[in-house]
Amino acid sequence: MTAKDQLLQELDQVPEPLLLKVLEFVRSLKTEEEQQKLEAKAWQAYLDSERERKEIYRRLANSYFCQQKYGFKYPRQTDREIWRHSRR
């Protein structure tokens, strides 16, 4: 006998007022599963985005760092200019 058959057999013995609670519970399980799937998709999309934009994030960080430390924006200056400016 399958789990579904056993469940249906047990449901036949449940009084009508409790069936509404059982129905709500079953629907909440489906909702939780859907929510978990959505969260997993969102997390995967974030990870994919992070991998795709890793170079952009690096450039933004370098730009901010150079502007704060050396007073100019990277990558407008060449690496040689950055090196010379940092040696002052």
Side-chain angles (χ1 to χ4, degrees):
M1 184 178 268
T2 67
K4 186 175 182 177
D5 292 334
Q6 290 175 346
L7 182 59
L8 290 173
Q9 189 177 26
E10 290 296 324
L11 284 174
D12 286 337
Q13 299 172 12
V14 174
E16 188 68 31
L18 290 179
L19 283 177
L20 290 175
K21 289 185 178 183
V22 172
L23 180 61
E24 288 176 19
F25 175 71
V26 171
R27 286 183 176 161
S28 73
L29 291 176
K30 288 171 52 176
T31 304
E32 286 177 18
E33 184 179 328
E34 291 171 0
Q35 183 65 29
Q36 288 174 350
K37 286 180 183 178
L38 287 174
E39 288 174 2
K41 283 183 181 181
W43 182 248
Q44 189 59 48
Y46 165 74
L47 293 175
D48 292 343
S49 169
E50 190 176 52
R51 277 191 291 273
E52 291 172 4
R53 293 169 176 80
K54 190 174 186 176
E55 178 66 18
I56 293 170
Y57 295 149
R58 186 188 65 76
R59 287 183 184 184
L60 285 171
N62 285 344
S63 173
Y64 179 78
F65 171 75
C66 288
Q67 187 176 10
Q68 294 299 313
K69 187 166 183 176
Y70 305 120
F72 58 84
K73 293 185 179 178
Y74 181 83
R76 289 187 182 161
Q77 286 81 9
T78 64
D79 288 338
R80 184 179 181 135
E81 289 171 325
I82 293 171
W83 182 81
R84 276 191 306 185
H85 194 23
S86 67
R87 304 284 293 172
R88 290 183 186 172

